[in-house]
Short mmCIF file of all heavy atoms in Angstrom, two decimals:
data_model
loop_
_atom_site.label_atom_id
_atom_site.label_comp_id
_atom_site.label_asym_id
_atom_site.label_seq_id
_atom_site.Cartn_x
_atom_site.Cartn_y
_atom_site.Cartn_z
N PRO A 1 0.80 -1.18 -0.01
CA PRO A 1 0.01 -0.02 0.01
C PRO A 1 0.84 1.27 -0.03
O PRO A 1 1.93 1.33 0.72
CB PRO A 1 -0.76 -0.12 1.32
CG PRO A 1 0.08 -0.93 2.15
CD PRO A 1 0.88 -1.86 1.30
N VAL A 2 0.50 2.20 -0.82
CA VAL A 2 1.21 3.50 -0.91
C VAL A 2 0.12 4.59 -0.65
O VAL A 2 -0.80 4.58 -1.43
CB VAL A 2 1.93 3.61 -2.21
CG1 VAL A 2 2.61 5.00 -2.34
CG2 VAL A 2 2.96 2.53 -2.49
N VAL A 3 0.40 5.36 0.31
CA VAL A 3 -0.59 6.48 0.65
C VAL A 3 -0.08 7.78 0.12
O VAL A 3 1.00 8.20 0.37
CB VAL A 3 -0.84 6.52 2.17
CG1 VAL A 3 -1.88 7.59 2.52
CG2 VAL A 3 -1.25 5.19 2.72
N VAL A 4 -0.96 8.47 -0.67
CA VAL A 4 -0.67 9.84 -1.14
C VAL A 4 -1.73 10.75 -0.73
O VAL A 4 -2.86 10.35 -0.45
CB VAL A 4 -0.45 9.84 -2.74
CG1 VAL A 4 0.74 9.02 -3.13
CG2 VAL A 4 -1.71 9.35 -3.41
N GLU A 5 -1.39 12.00 -0.77
CA GLU A 5 -2.38 13.06 -0.34
C GLU A 5 -2.32 14.13 -1.43
O GLU A 5 -1.30 14.55 -1.86
CB GLU A 5 -1.91 13.61 1.03
CG GLU A 5 -2.89 14.70 1.57
CD GLU A 5 -2.44 15.23 2.93
OE1 GLU A 5 -1.39 15.87 2.98
OE2 GLU A 5 -3.09 14.80 3.93
N ASN A 6 -3.58 14.56 -1.78
CA ASN A 6 -3.62 15.61 -2.83
C ASN A 6 -3.65 17.02 -2.15
O ASN A 6 -3.60 17.13 -0.98
CB ASN A 6 -4.84 15.38 -3.77
CG ASN A 6 -6.14 15.59 -3.09
OD1 ASN A 6 -6.23 16.14 -1.97
ND2 ASN A 6 -7.21 15.11 -3.75
N ARG A 7 -3.74 18.05 -2.98
CA ARG A 7 -3.65 19.43 -2.46
C ARG A 7 -4.82 19.74 -1.46
O ARG A 7 -4.68 20.62 -0.63
CB ARG A 7 -3.66 20.43 -3.58
CG ARG A 7 -2.40 20.42 -4.36
CD ARG A 7 -2.42 21.53 -5.45
NE ARG A 7 -1.11 21.54 -6.13
CZ ARG A 7 -1.00 21.35 -7.46
NH1 ARG A 7 -2.08 21.23 -8.17
NH2 ARG A 7 0.13 21.36 -8.02
N GLN A 8 -5.95 19.12 -1.71
CA GLN A 8 -7.05 19.33 -0.86
C GLN A 8 -7.05 18.50 0.47
O GLN A 8 -7.93 18.63 1.28
CB GLN A 8 -8.37 18.90 -1.56
CG GLN A 8 -8.74 19.85 -2.75
CD GLN A 8 -7.90 19.57 -3.97
OE1 GLN A 8 -7.51 18.46 -4.28
NE2 GLN A 8 -7.59 20.66 -4.76
N GLY A 9 -6.00 17.79 0.68
CA GLY A 9 -5.81 16.97 1.91
C GLY A 9 -6.44 15.61 1.89
O GLY A 9 -6.50 14.91 2.79
N GLU A 10 -7.05 15.24 0.68
CA GLU A 10 -7.67 13.89 0.55
C GLU A 10 -6.62 12.87 0.35
O GLU A 10 -5.73 12.99 -0.48
CB GLU A 10 -8.63 13.85 -0.65
CG GLU A 10 -9.74 14.91 -0.48
CD GLU A 10 -10.49 15.16 -1.79
OE1 GLU A 10 -9.94 14.90 -2.95
OE2 GLU A 10 -11.62 15.58 -1.72
N ARG A 11 -6.65 11.79 1.15
CA ARG A 11 -5.73 10.69 0.98
C ARG A 11 -6.24 9.55 0.18
O ARG A 11 -7.43 9.27 0.20
CB ARG A 11 -5.40 10.19 2.38
CG ARG A 11 -4.68 11.22 3.23
CD ARG A 11 -4.25 10.69 4.51
NE ARG A 11 -3.45 11.74 5.26
CZ ARG A 11 -2.82 11.53 6.36
NH1 ARG A 11 -2.91 10.35 6.97
NH2 ARG A 11 -2.19 12.57 6.93
N THR A 12 -5.32 9.02 -0.69
CA THR A 12 -5.70 7.90 -1.52
C THR A 12 -4.63 6.78 -1.24
O THR A 12 -3.45 7.06 -1.16
CB THR A 12 -5.58 8.29 -2.95
OG1 THR A 12 -6.50 9.37 -3.25
CG2 THR A 12 -5.91 7.20 -3.87
N THR A 13 -5.07 5.62 -1.10
CA THR A 13 -4.19 4.49 -0.95
C THR A 13 -4.16 3.62 -2.30
O THR A 13 -5.27 3.18 -2.77
CB THR A 13 -4.61 3.50 0.15
OG1 THR A 13 -4.67 4.27 1.39
CG2 THR A 13 -3.67 2.34 0.28
N CYS A 14 -3.01 3.53 -2.88
CA CYS A 14 -2.82 2.78 -4.17
C CYS A 14 -2.11 1.50 -3.69
O CYS A 14 -1.19 1.60 -2.89
CB CYS A 14 -2.07 3.55 -5.16
SG CYS A 14 -2.82 5.08 -5.64
N VAL A 15 -2.40 0.43 -4.43
CA VAL A 15 -1.72 -0.82 -4.16
C VAL A 15 -0.77 -1.06 -5.34
O VAL A 15 -1.27 -1.14 -6.44
CB VAL A 15 -2.64 -2.01 -3.94
CG1 VAL A 15 -1.90 -3.36 -3.76
CG2 VAL A 15 -3.59 -1.78 -2.74
N VAL A 16 0.46 -1.23 -5.07
CA VAL A 16 1.44 -1.42 -6.12
C VAL A 16 2.17 -2.77 -6.02
O VAL A 16 2.36 -3.27 -4.91
CB VAL A 16 2.52 -0.28 -6.13
CG1 VAL A 16 1.84 1.10 -6.39
CG2 VAL A 16 3.37 -0.20 -4.89
N GLY A 17 2.41 -3.38 -7.15
CA GLY A 17 3.07 -4.69 -7.09
C GLY A 17 4.51 -4.47 -7.48
O GLY A 17 4.89 -3.88 -8.45
N PHE A 18 5.41 -5.11 -6.58
CA PHE A 18 6.78 -5.08 -6.72
C PHE A 18 7.42 -6.16 -5.95
O PHE A 18 6.91 -6.45 -4.87
CB PHE A 18 7.34 -3.64 -6.31
CG PHE A 18 8.62 -3.21 -6.92
CD1 PHE A 18 8.68 -3.00 -8.29
CD2 PHE A 18 9.79 -3.10 -6.21
CE1 PHE A 18 9.85 -2.63 -8.88
CE2 PHE A 18 11.01 -2.75 -6.80
CZ PHE A 18 11.00 -2.47 -8.11
N PRO A 19 8.50 -6.83 -6.39
CA PRO A 19 9.06 -7.96 -5.64
C PRO A 19 9.56 -7.61 -4.26
O PRO A 19 9.48 -8.43 -3.32
CB PRO A 19 10.19 -8.45 -6.51
CG PRO A 19 9.98 -7.87 -7.88
CD PRO A 19 9.16 -6.64 -7.62
N ILE A 20 10.10 -6.42 -4.12
CA ILE A 20 10.62 -6.03 -2.75
C ILE A 20 9.97 -4.67 -2.42
O ILE A 20 9.38 -4.05 -3.24
CB ILE A 20 12.13 -5.87 -2.76
CG1 ILE A 20 12.59 -4.81 -3.78
CG2 ILE A 20 12.81 -7.24 -2.97
CD1 ILE A 20 14.07 -4.49 -3.74
N ARG A 21 10.03 -4.34 -1.17
CA ARG A 21 9.49 -3.04 -0.73
C ARG A 21 10.07 -1.90 -1.54
O ARG A 21 11.29 -1.69 -1.57
CB ARG A 21 9.75 -2.76 0.73
CG ARG A 21 9.05 -1.49 1.27
CD ARG A 21 9.26 -1.31 2.78
NE ARG A 21 8.52 -0.17 3.24
CZ ARG A 21 9.00 1.04 3.34
NH1 ARG A 21 10.25 1.31 2.91
NH2 ARG A 21 8.29 1.98 3.82
N PRO A 22 9.31 -1.19 -2.34
CA PRO A 22 9.82 -0.09 -3.19
C PRO A 22 10.37 1.09 -2.42
O PRO A 22 9.76 1.38 -1.38
CB PRO A 22 8.66 0.24 -4.09
CG PRO A 22 7.39 -0.13 -3.28
CD PRO A 22 7.76 -1.31 -2.40
N SER A 23 11.40 1.71 -2.95
CA SER A 23 11.86 2.94 -2.38
C SER A 23 10.76 3.98 -2.62
O SER A 23 9.80 3.79 -3.38
CB SER A 23 13.14 3.36 -3.10
OG SER A 23 12.88 3.69 -4.43
N GLU A 24 10.89 5.16 -2.02
CA GLU A 24 9.89 6.17 -2.23
C GLU A 24 9.90 6.58 -3.70
O GLU A 24 8.81 6.85 -4.30
CB GLU A 24 10.21 7.40 -1.31
CG GLU A 24 9.81 7.10 0.11
CD GLU A 24 9.96 8.40 0.94
OE1 GLU A 24 10.47 9.39 0.52
OE2 GLU A 24 9.45 8.32 2.16
N GLU A 25 11.05 6.60 -4.33
CA GLU A 25 11.16 6.98 -5.77
C GLU A 25 10.41 5.97 -6.60
O GLU A 25 9.63 6.44 -7.49
CB GLU A 25 12.61 7.17 -6.12
CG GLU A 25 12.85 7.52 -7.60
CD GLU A 25 12.42 8.88 -7.93
OE1 GLU A 25 12.07 9.74 -7.03
OE2 GLU A 25 12.41 9.19 -9.17
N MET A 26 10.61 4.75 -6.41
CA MET A 26 9.93 3.70 -7.16
C MET A 26 8.44 3.75 -6.89
O MET A 26 7.62 3.59 -7.79
CB MET A 26 10.60 2.29 -6.89
CG MET A 26 9.85 1.20 -7.64
SD MET A 26 9.89 1.40 -9.42
CE MET A 26 11.57 0.97 -9.81
N ALA A 27 8.09 3.87 -5.64
CA ALA A 27 6.69 3.88 -5.29
C ALA A 27 6.03 5.10 -5.99
O ALA A 27 4.91 4.96 -6.44
CB ALA A 27 6.53 4.05 -3.78
N ALA A 28 6.65 6.29 -6.06
CA ALA A 28 6.11 7.39 -6.75
C ALA A 28 5.91 7.12 -8.22
O ALA A 28 4.93 7.52 -8.81
CB ALA A 28 7.06 8.58 -6.56
N ALA A 29 6.85 6.40 -8.89
CA ALA A 29 6.70 6.04 -10.26
C ALA A 29 5.47 5.15 -10.47
O ALA A 29 4.73 5.32 -11.41
CB ALA A 29 8.03 5.34 -10.76
N LEU A 30 5.41 4.12 -9.61
CA LEU A 30 4.23 3.19 -9.71
C LEU A 30 2.89 3.87 -9.48
O LEU A 30 1.90 3.57 -10.12
CB LEU A 30 4.46 2.01 -8.82
CG LEU A 30 5.73 1.11 -9.11
CD1 LEU A 30 6.00 0.18 -7.96
CD2 LEU A 30 5.54 0.44 -10.46
N VAL A 31 2.83 4.70 -8.48
CA VAL A 31 1.63 5.48 -8.13
C VAL A 31 1.25 6.46 -9.23
O VAL A 31 0.03 6.54 -9.61
CB VAL A 31 1.73 6.18 -6.80
CG1 VAL A 31 0.63 7.21 -6.56
CG2 VAL A 31 1.73 5.15 -5.70
N ARG A 32 2.24 7.07 -9.89
CA ARG A 32 1.93 8.00 -10.99
C ARG A 32 1.18 7.26 -12.11
O ARG A 32 0.25 7.77 -12.67
CB ARG A 32 3.18 8.55 -11.50
CG ARG A 32 3.80 9.76 -10.70
CD ARG A 32 5.13 10.22 -11.23
NE ARG A 32 5.27 10.23 -12.64
CZ ARG A 32 4.71 11.27 -13.45
NH1 ARG A 32 4.08 12.22 -12.88
NH2 ARG A 32 4.92 11.23 -14.81
N GLN A 33 1.55 5.96 -12.36
CA GLN A 33 0.88 5.24 -13.34
C GLN A 33 -0.59 5.04 -12.94
O GLN A 33 -1.43 5.15 -13.82
CB GLN A 33 1.59 3.94 -13.58
CG GLN A 33 2.80 3.97 -14.35
CD GLN A 33 3.45 2.62 -14.48
OE1 GLN A 33 3.59 1.83 -13.49
NE2 GLN A 33 3.87 2.25 -15.69
N GLN A 34 -0.81 4.66 -11.70
CA GLN A 34 -2.20 4.35 -11.28
C GLN A 34 -3.01 5.58 -11.26
O GLN A 34 -4.26 5.48 -11.38
CB GLN A 34 -2.16 3.74 -9.82
CG GLN A 34 -1.62 2.24 -9.90
CD GLN A 34 -1.96 1.55 -8.56
OE1 GLN A 34 -2.72 2.04 -7.76
NE2 GLN A 34 -1.33 0.48 -8.45
N LEU A 35 -2.43 6.77 -11.05
CA LEU A 35 -3.19 7.99 -11.05
C LEU A 35 -3.37 8.54 -12.48
O LEU A 35 -3.95 9.66 -12.64
CB LEU A 35 -2.48 9.00 -10.12
CG LEU A 35 -2.42 8.63 -8.65
CD1 LEU A 35 -1.64 9.66 -7.89
CD2 LEU A 35 -3.85 8.53 -8.02
N GLY A 36 -2.92 7.83 -13.49
CA GLY A 36 -3.16 8.22 -14.86
C GLY A 36 -2.15 9.19 -15.38
O GLY A 36 -2.43 9.84 -16.36
N MET A 37 -1.06 9.36 -14.72
CA MET A 37 0.03 10.28 -15.18
C MET A 37 1.02 9.69 -16.13
O MET A 37 1.81 10.37 -16.68
CB MET A 37 0.75 10.77 -13.92
CG MET A 37 -0.10 11.67 -12.99
SD MET A 37 0.89 12.17 -11.62
CE MET A 37 -0.42 12.22 -10.35
N GLY A 38 0.94 8.42 -16.34
CA GLY A 38 1.92 7.74 -17.23
C GLY A 38 3.26 7.55 -16.60
O GLY A 38 3.56 7.92 -15.49
N VAL A 39 4.18 7.04 -17.42
CA VAL A 39 5.51 6.74 -16.89
C VAL A 39 6.55 7.81 -17.27
O VAL A 39 7.55 7.93 -16.61
CB VAL A 39 6.06 5.38 -17.44
CG1 VAL A 39 5.25 4.26 -16.90
CG2 VAL A 39 6.06 5.34 -18.92
N ALA A 40 6.22 8.64 -18.23
CA ALA A 40 7.21 9.63 -18.64
C ALA A 40 7.17 10.84 -17.64
O ALA A 40 6.15 11.39 -17.27
CB ALA A 40 6.82 10.20 -20.02
N VAL A 41 8.35 11.20 -17.17
CA VAL A 41 8.53 12.25 -16.25
C VAL A 41 8.70 13.56 -17.15
O VAL A 41 9.40 13.49 -18.14
CB VAL A 41 9.80 12.05 -15.39
CG1 VAL A 41 10.07 13.22 -14.52
CG2 VAL A 41 9.60 10.88 -14.51
N PRO A 42 8.13 14.66 -16.69
CA PRO A 42 8.29 15.91 -17.49
C PRO A 42 9.78 16.26 -17.76
O PRO A 42 10.57 16.00 -16.85
CB PRO A 42 7.60 16.96 -16.61
CG PRO A 42 6.70 16.17 -15.81
CD PRO A 42 7.27 14.83 -15.54
N ASP A 43 10.04 16.77 -18.90
CA ASP A 43 11.45 17.05 -19.31
C ASP A 43 12.21 17.89 -18.27
O ASP A 43 13.37 17.66 -18.00
CB ASP A 43 11.45 17.76 -20.65
CG ASP A 43 11.10 16.82 -21.81
OD1 ASP A 43 11.27 15.60 -21.65
OD2 ASP A 43 10.72 17.40 -22.88
#
């Protein structure tokens, strides 16, 4: 489970699949996909 909070203070729990506990950086990448942001990071 990865918990994120938006600007309005609403929390969302996303479940990400990964063989080991992901770092915060990897968790952010996986959550971005679930939130519909895709994998590409802005230039």
Side-chain angles (χ1 to χ4, degrees):
V2 178
V3 182
V4 294
E5 183 178 70
N6 67 15
R7 289 185 179 123
Q8 291 77 32
E10 298 166 339
R11 292 182 177 188
T12 301
T13 301
C14 298
V15 178
V16 300
F18 204 66
I20 59 173
R21 185 177 184 270
S23 65
E24 287 188 350
E25 179 69 8
M26 178 57 75
L30 296 168
V31 166
R32 280 176 40 78
Q33 287 180 311
Q34 287 195 14
L35 295 174
M37 295 177 210
V39 294
V41 173
D43 287 340

